Amino acid sequence: MAGSYRSYLHCFNGCGGSYPVDSILYLCPHCGGLLEVQHDLDALRLTAPAEWRKLLDSRAATTRWPYGGGVWSMKEWVAPELRDENVVSMYEGNSNLFWADRFGRSIGLDDLWVKLCGNSHTGSFKDLGMTVLVSVVKQMIADGSPVRAVACASTGDTSAALAAYAAAAGIPAVVFLPRDKVSDAQLVQPLAHGAHVLALDTDFDGCMRVVREVTQDNSIYLANSMNSLRIEGQKTVGVEIVRQFDWTVPEWIIMPAGNLGNISALYKGLKLLQDLGIITRLPRLVAAQASRANPFYQSFRNNFSAPVAMQAEATQASAIRIGAPVSYAKAVQAIRQTDGLVEQASEQELATAAALADKTGMYACPHTAVALAVLCKLRQQNIIRPGSRVVVISTAHGLKFSGFKSGYHQGSLPLVTGDHANPPLELPATAAAVRAALDKRLAAQPAGSARV
């Protein structure tokens, strides 16, 4: 089936020109704009929507190589020319939709879901894109390409995903990190996978400038989200959400936004479903930014009259601490075409949202907490109505950010008051002291009555 389809690189600005997907190109050689992967829609439309739904349903979460993974169940829509022996997959995707019942009811929503993309091999959404990029690079090398390594700038999750998938493929990885600006859990992942880790005395935007210069030599392949192959894997999250709802579309999807590849990819997957006649409408998309790193929010407030660049300030949501997002133009399209919104959350708001979510059984990373805080704002303003089906995309596992969690409950996070902190109760080692303390606490919180 895959042999019937083709894909190619095309300039997002529409200046013309098509290039093979295995070209070592990240920007249009004519105008310098972003590239994107386009697919032969006429060929894809020869298969009826019902047949596509049946095919994807039959593949997802099976052991059939490589189609059982969430990304590769959609191989014809992602990388149709890729030979199966070059697929580098850890069965990423197929992450669960968590019905956030108690948290939703606390803000007046009965139909709130959290897409737990952190329940993936390296603990983040980035796996969805990296499986595609590394697979294509593996095929490029097998076909004689001069590529000898893959490289990325990262605030943590991208580097972990690149290092893991490159290790699985046997391809050297080079990682550029801002020194002392990523969590220990994120730093140790590329180290453990044998990547060449370079900690630079700058922020993410500085690392991005360096890696772009270094990868001008075609022997080192750029793996950041300006590489359109990443977007092809990440777009599958939108398809997966719709499939998990029996091919129906939620009213809203809210996602953390930093370099803006994620929100762009989400739109691309949903738009493909619409173009193939599988869905008839698009959800409204919301890009959620930390207020200390909010260039896209500022641009939205100015009706996207011009991109905004800033020096991003320190935020607990370190993975989206980006002041000059690369995928700006694509993200503008995503918001405009879905009647979407961009909103921000302060350090206090994101920390409070994480604490309240955790009290209902979640374990929210700080970036997911930004999206949850934005949800609360939009609900308070009644922009999101009580009967709406809402999905928040959780982009990483909370265990990567234990310092954020412990700092909140110990009262040591800057710019944050831990109104819902739950530090351990230190007691003498006697049953009488324990009983007295428990009687006091449980009297104030009977079973089944715990409030968010």
Side-chain angles (χ1 to χ4, degrees):
M1 193 173 191
S4 305
Y5 308 113
R6 67 183 187 90
S7 60
Y8 54 93
L9 296 176
H10 190 75
C11 178
F12 182 77
N13 292 340
C15 74
S18 298
Y19 315 93
V21 291
D22 58 359
S23 302
I24 305 178
L25 287 175
Y26 317 111
L27 298 174
C28 175
H30 295 296
C31 72
L34 295 172
L35 296 170
E36 67 173 350
V37 176
Q38 290 193 352
H39 294 264
D40 186 348
L41 286 177
D42 289 337
L44 293 172
R45 287 182 177 125
L46 293 176
T47 300
E51 289 302 307
W52 280 123
R53 291 194 296 266
K54 181 180 178 181
L55 179 66
L56 268 60
D57 284 340
S58 72
R59 288 173 170 175
T62 66
T63 56
R64 181 184 170 194
W65 179 265
Y67 300 105
V71 172
W72 297 108
S73 68
M74 311 170 208
K75 187 171 184 288
E76 294 84 358
W77 299 355
V78 172
E81 297 96 341
L82 189 70
R83 300 188 295 275
D84 286 356
E85 67 266 22
N86 292 316
V87 172
V88 183
S89 175
M90 301 175 189
Y91 275 52
E92 54 290 313
N94 292 323
S95 57
N96 57 307
L97 274 170
F98 173 80
W99 182 33
D101 178 34
R102 286 192 61 221
F103 186 86
R105 283 189 284 111
S106 75
I107 61 172
L109 281 178
D110 293 327
D111 205 2
L112 173 63
W113 302 78
V114 179
K115 177 67 169 167
L116 295 176
C117 293
N119 292 1
S120 189
H121 182 71
T122 73
S124 90
F125 177 85
K126 303 299 184 183
D127 291 357
L128 301 180
M130 214 56 77
T131 182
V132 177
L133 183 141
V134 173
S135 296
V136 172
V137 171
K138 182 180 178 183
Q139 182 156 301
M140 289 164 61
I141 293 171
D143 292 344
S145 169
V147 170
R148 58 194 175 98
V150 287
C152 73
S154 178
T155 48
D157 289 333
T158 298
S159 64
L162 178 64
Y165 282 83
I171 301 171
V174 184
V175 168
F176 296 77
L177 296 173
R179 187 165 65 87
D180 298 329
K181 293 183 176 69
V182 302
S183 72
D184 289 343
Q186 290 171 302
L187 173 61
V188 76
Q189 286 181 285
L191 293 175
H193 292 306
H196 304 283
V197 178
L198 311 177
L200 306 186
D201 290 320
T202 183
D203 57 10
F204 170 82
D205 297 307
C207 289
M208 192 69 218
R209 286 191 293 271
V210 174
V211 76
R212 288 179 68 173
E213 184 174 345
V214 169
T215 53
Q216 288 178 6
D217 175 356
N218 286 348
S219 70
I220 300 179
Y221 189 82
L222 179 63
N224 280 96
S225 61
M226 66 183 294
N227 186 315
S228 49
L229 293 175
R230 284 266 308 278
I231 302 301
E232 290 308 287
Q234 291 170 197
K235 78 182 184 187
T236 62
V237 71
V239 180
E240 200 166 286
I241 288 169
V242 172
R243 181 179 60 77
Q244 288 173 301
F245 285 126
D246 295 323
W247 302 101
T248 62
V249 181
E251 279 70 40
W252 296 87
I253 302 180
I254 305 173
M255 190 176 207
N259 215 19
L260 305 183
N262 290 359
I263 194 80
S264 308
L266 174 62
Y267 168 74
K268 195 168 190 283
L270 294 164
K271 185 63 168 62
L272 178 62
L273 287 178
Q274 187 180 50
D275 288 342
L276 295 179
I278 295 172
I279 62 175
T280 57
R281 67 173 181 87
L282 297 174
R284 297 185 70 181
L285 302 186
V286 180
Q289 292 215 290
S291 62
R292 293 170 66 82
N294 65 351
F296 195 50
Y297 171 76
Q298 292 185 44
S299 181
F300 173 76
R301 292 295 298 267
N302 293 325
N303 199 30
F304 296 131
S305 58
V308 172
M310 63 180 292
Q311 183 71 41
E313 299 180 273
T315 171
Q316 294 301 318
S318 58
I320 55 175
R321 182 186 175 181
I322 296 169
V326 169
S327 297
Y328 172 82
K330 292 181 179 180
V332 170
Q333 178 193 58
I335 297 302
R336 283 180 168 165
Q337 294 301 314
T338 63
D339 189 25
L341 300 170
V342 185
E343 187 53 270
Q344 64 176 351
S346 68
E347 296 300 288
Q348 181 67 58
E349 289 167 337
L350 74 88
T352 299
L356 293 177
D358 291 353
K359 287 180 69 176
T360 68
M362 283 186 261
Y363 197 64
C365 73
H367 319 96
T368 303
V370 171
L372 291 169
V374 162
L375 165 65
C376 292
K377 280 187 167 184
L378 297 178
R379 180 67 199 94
Q380 288 166 1
Q381 298 164 18
N382 207 34
I383 293 172
I384 293 180
R385 301 298 181 87
S388 299
R389 171 169 284 176
V390 182
V391 177
V392 170
I393 295 183
S394 175
T395 52
H397 202 294
L399 286 172
K400 286 189 167 191
F401 302 92
S402 295
F404 164 68
K405 300 293 189 184
S406 61
Y408 180 85
H409 291 287
Q410 294 169 5
S412 60
L413 293 184
L415 306 176
V416 171
T417 300
D419 298 325
H420 304 280
N422 185 30
L425 185 61
E426 297 180 355
L427 297 169
T430 67
V434 169
R435 288 195 188 97
L438 288 178
D439 286 345
K440 182 178 180 180
R441 288 200 167 193
L442 294 177
Q445 184 181 318
S449 66
R451 292 189 301 241
V452 178

